Structure formats: structure tokens, C-alpha cells
Amino acid sequence: MPDSFCGSWEIISNVNFEGYMNALGINLYLRKIALRLKLKKVIEQQEDRYIIKTCSTFRNYATTFRVGQEFQEFTEGLDNRHVKSMVTWHGKKMVCEQVGEKKCRGWTHWMEEDKLHLELFCEGEVCKQVFKKKVNE
Ligand code: YOG
């Protein structure tokens, strides 16, 4: 049984976000804004359905899926592409493949100690983000 990713998470490190955004073709202006954002993840699970929200003061993005079921994803407000996505478990890692115009695109989530890890990958660029659990305000 994989560890639970559910809860609210705040970013504590972000390596090569610039490279990932470049691979997605995000323009310089948006990259500069995005690099300054303190990203948050809110992950919920309802039976076999997951909802992952990426939140910031600038924009929010949400995706909903069932593990093992292909779905259409529109990356609205990010690179605005349509991809065919599929999330599967690779051991304790949750892996999403996003098939579309960009090659080798997707992400992987896993837990290490009490931290939520994320790798975002696209065309050979890998962005590594780490989140810590948000304490209740
Ligand atoms: O998350 O794939 O948790 O969906 C990647 C941003 C910035 C807009 C965010 C808005 C890609 C300008 C991770 C940022 C950069 C830059 C807040 C989304 C594109 C545009 C929304 C992601 C997965 C895994 C779940």
C-alpha cells in the first residue's frame, strides 16, 4: 500500500524549473513570474479518484484521474496543450505519462520521509521539486 500523498503541501526546493519550462516552450516573461511563485500542492483522494491541485497567487491548475485509466488532459494556464495522460503505480511511485506533441513528458510523485517529492520531465529536462506538509494555520 503506497504512502498517502493526501493533504496540503508547500514547496521547499525547486531545481531546474527553468529547464522544464523551456522544454515546454514557456516564454521568458511567464518563466520569470513562475520562478518566483511559492507553489502549493493540495492532494485529495475519493475512493479511486485523485485530485491534484497546484496552487499559487498567480494561477492554479488541477487534474483529476483514476489510476490506470487514460484521460484527456488540457494543461490550461500552463503550456495550454492537449495530452493523453495515464497515471500508474511503479512500486510506491505515482507516475504520469503525458503523451502529445512533447516527447518524454510526464511527472512522478513519491514520499521520502515526511516529504512529498515531484519530478516533472519533458524532452530530457527534469525539474525536481520537494514539498513539506503544510501545518494548519
Ligand atoms: O502537476 O504537472 O503534481 O497536475 C508546472 C508549471 C505558472 C504558469 C506546475 C503557474 C509548468 C506559467 C506543475 C504555476 C510551467 C508557467 C501554478 C503542474 C508552465 C507555465 C499552477 C503539474 C502535476 C503533478 C499534477
Side-chain angles (χ1 to χ4, degrees):
M1 178 65 187
D3 305 314
S4 178
F5 298 164
C6 294
S8 296
W9 302 90
E10 53 193 18
I11 198 160
I12 54 169
S13 73
N14 195 359
V15 176
N16 198 34
F17 192 31
E18 175 86 357
Y20 174 73
M21 289 193 286
N22 258 319
L24 288 176
I26 306 299
N27 70 49
L28 177 69
Y29 175 74
L30 281 175
R31 292 201 310 272
K32 293 291 168 210
I33 293 172
L35 280 172
R36 300 178 56 119
L37 299 173
K38 285 280 164 227
L39 299 175
K40 280 183 206 155
K41 291 280 176 195
V42 179
I43 303 181
E44 294 162 24
Q45 189 185 1
Q46 297 161 353
E47 278 128 57
D48 60 343
R49 200 165 66 109
Y50 279 91
I51 305 162
I52 303 184
K53 296 172 191 163
T54 307
C55 307
S56 75
T57 51
F58 177 59
R59 275 178 198 167
N60 300 315
Y61 181 73
T63 184
T64 302
F65 56 87
R66 288 180 170 79
V67 174
Q69 276 188 25
E70 189 177 272
F71 62 103
Q72 303 288 333
E73 184 175 5
F74 175 48
T75 61
E76 188 172 13
L78 305 180
D79 61 318
N80 296 301
R81 285 191 175 88
H82 293 271
V83 289
K84 268 191 186 175
S85 300
M86 167 101 126
V87 178
T88 51
W89 288 108
H90 292 207
K92 289 187 168 189
K93 291 190 173 185
M94 178 187 264
V95 180
C96 179
E97 284 186 85
Q98 296 172 310
V99 176
E101 183 189 342
K102 292 289 175 180
K103 303 303 160 207
C104 300
R105 177 177 185 176
W107 50 260
T108 302
H109 267 297
W110 72 95
M111 296 288 300
E112 247 174 64
E113 280 142 35
D114 50 354
K115 305 287 196 296
L116 177 74
H117 288 242
L118 171 63
E119 272 179 5
L120 296 159
F121 49 90
C122 180
E123 302 204 323
E125 292 290 337
V126 182
C127 168
K128 177 74 197 291
Q129 300 182 340
V130 181
F131 298 80
K132 69 168 186 185
K133 198 119 195 191
K134 200 164 180 275
V135 288
N136 295 321
E137 277 146 10

